[in-house]
Amino acid sequence: MTTSCLFCKIVRGEIPAVRVYEDDHTLAFMDVFPASEGHTLVIAKAHAPNLLEIAEPDLLAAMATTQRVTRAVNQALAPDGFRINQFNGAAAGQSVLHYHVHIVPIREGQRAGAHGRDKADPAALEVVAARIRQALT
């Protein structure tokens, strides 16, 4: 972990996040600038800036958590589909230089971008997160 990385600070509990799932190697939490309802981020707890630099065990753990959380999002919110996005480098749209995966639920006819434009209300995020957490059990 690094001292200045936003996601490392979330892992350490220095910055609040609406957490959905956590294990020894990964953390899933609601995106504060959601592209759609239920937009969730999955990170490896170990700091790595991108796909090219993440250690294979951390990558495998993050992908397993992505699948598990996506199943819960699917069950909790019943979207028509979902996008799994992972960006590497600012030119590709990566805004936090810590390996992470976006789970973006999509409704038929919805045109959701990779990132939302407006900051979500934390209380509204918590309501959605509770539904996803319930589906994880």
Side-chain angles (χ1 to χ4, degrees):
M1 283 192 249
T2 68
T3 57
S4 62
C5 172
L6 176 69
F7 288 173
C8 288
K9 288 179 180 182
I10 289 172
V11 169
R12 290 191 302 265
E14 296 171 6
I15 294 176
V18 178
R19 294 170 182 241
V20 172
Y21 174 82
E22 184 170 7
D23 62 28
D24 290 342
H25 303 285
T26 64
L27 175 64
F29 53 94
M30 304 306 295
D31 193 310
V32 295
F33 287 93
S36 69
E37 180 186 49
H39 183 168
T40 307
L41 300 177
V42 175
I43 68 169
K45 286 183 174 180
H47 181 80
N50 57 47
L51 179 66
L52 301 176
E53 297 182 48
I54 189 169
E56 186 173 324
D58 295 324
L59 175 63
L60 294 174
M63 291 313 300
T65 296
T66 298
Q67 183 182 49
R68 182 175 186 180
V69 172
T70 299
R71 286 179 174 145
V73 168
N74 195 48
Q75 181 181 337
L77 304 177
D80 298 312
F82 49 87
R83 284 194 204 128
I84 305 297
N85 297 327
Q86 199 280 309
F87 307 100
N88 295 277
Q94 185 180 14
S95 57
V96 178
L97 298 179
H98 183 117
Y99 178 84
H100 61 287
V101 178
H102 296 256
I103 302 167
V104 183
I106 303 293
R107 300 272 176 215
E108 192 67 44
Q110 179 182 9
R111 295 179 49 102
H115 297 90
R117 288 186 167 80
D118 299 318
K119 190 169 186 178
D121 172 42
L125 290 178
E126 182 55 48
V127 169
V128 176
R131 292 171 60 194
I132 298 168
R133 285 192 296 266
Q134 179 64 34
L136 282 163
T137 58

